Every structure is written in structure tokens, then in C-alpha cells.
Amino acid sequence: MAIAMLLDNPGGSQEIYDQLRKRLDLDRPVGGILHVAGPSPNGGWRVIELFDSQEAASRFLKERFAPVYREVAGSGEPPVPQFWPVHNYMT
């Protein structure tokens, strides 16, 4: 079952996002389905990702995203994502 992830980063920016993407060497959505990113309405940066499964999401965040985020952002832990099961999506 597909799983959606919302990641709000109040301290994020397009610059940090672009550095993360470059360091992660991403050329397609990590979850294989959909990736959307842009400024958050509350300030900072927002990412929405559709993953093939909760396991795929957890593995990416732990093994790839978190270490690179710490290097690029220079401090602290990555933002805590919110997950929910996807009933339907259209591309």
C-alpha cells in the first residue's frame, strides 16, 4: 500500500533543499511514485512524497536522508515527518 509523507521544515529553504537533492543524487522520486517540494505557507520548506511502502520510507529517511541532512543543514535532527496511508492518487 502506498504511503504519503509530509515533511515541514521551518528552518528549511530552497538552497538547503537543492543541496540535499544534489548530495542524495536523486533523479526520480525516492518512493518511486511522486515528489513535490516548495516553500511552506508557514515559512520554511515543505516536501510531500509518495512511497511504495512504510518500510521504503523509513529505510530512506534513516539510511540516506538523515545523515545527509545533518551534513547539509549543519545542526540538529531532521524534521519529523507525518505519514498516512493513501487511498487514491492520480498523476
Side-chain angles (χ1 to χ4, degrees), residues 1-5 29 31-36 48-53 84-91:
M1 167 187 281
I3 191 96
M5 177 191 78
I33 300 173
L34 175 74
H35 174 90
V36 180
I48 298 173
E49 187 91 35
L50 283 168
F51 288 90
D52 296 322
S53 68
W84 66 96
V86 173
H87 170 71
N88 186 33
Y89 63 90
M90 296 183 280
T91 59

Side-chain angles (χ1 to χ4, degrees), residues 1-2 4 6 9 17-18 26 30 34-35 41 43 46 50 57 64 68-69 71-72 80 83:
M1 167 187 281
L6 170 68
N9 185 358
Y17 170 80
D18 289 342
L26 299 176
V30 172
L34 175 74
H35 174 90
R46 175 176 282 175
L50 283 168
R64 294 190 63 203
V68 172
Y69 178 87
E71 291 175 15
V72 169
V80 177
F83 294 100

Side-chain angles (χ1 to χ4, degrees), residues 11-91:
S13 66
Q14 183 175 346
E15 180 183 31
I16 291 171
Y17 170 80
D18 289 342
Q19 289 178 28
L20 283 165
R21 278 198 37 134
K22 184 177 181 180
R23 296 281 305 277
L24 289 168
D25 192 28
L26 299 176
D27 61 355
R28 67 179 194 92
V30 172
I33 300 173
L34 175 74
H35 174 90
V36 180
S40 175
N42 301 323
W45 202 254
R46 175 176 282 175
V47 173
I48 298 173
E49 187 91 35
L50 283 168
F51 288 90
D52 296 322
S53 68
Q54 179 70 49
E55 294 77 23
S58 296
R59 186 172 47 252
F60 169 75
L61 291 169
K62 180 181 178 184
E63 295 175 6
R64 294 190 63 203
F65 179 76
V68 172
Y69 178 87
R70 288 182 194 105
E71 291 175 15
V72 169
S75 65
E77 292 297 312
V80 177
Q82 299 173 35
F83 294 100
W84 66 96
V86 173
H87 170 71
N88 186 33
Y89 63 90
M90 296 183 280
T91 59

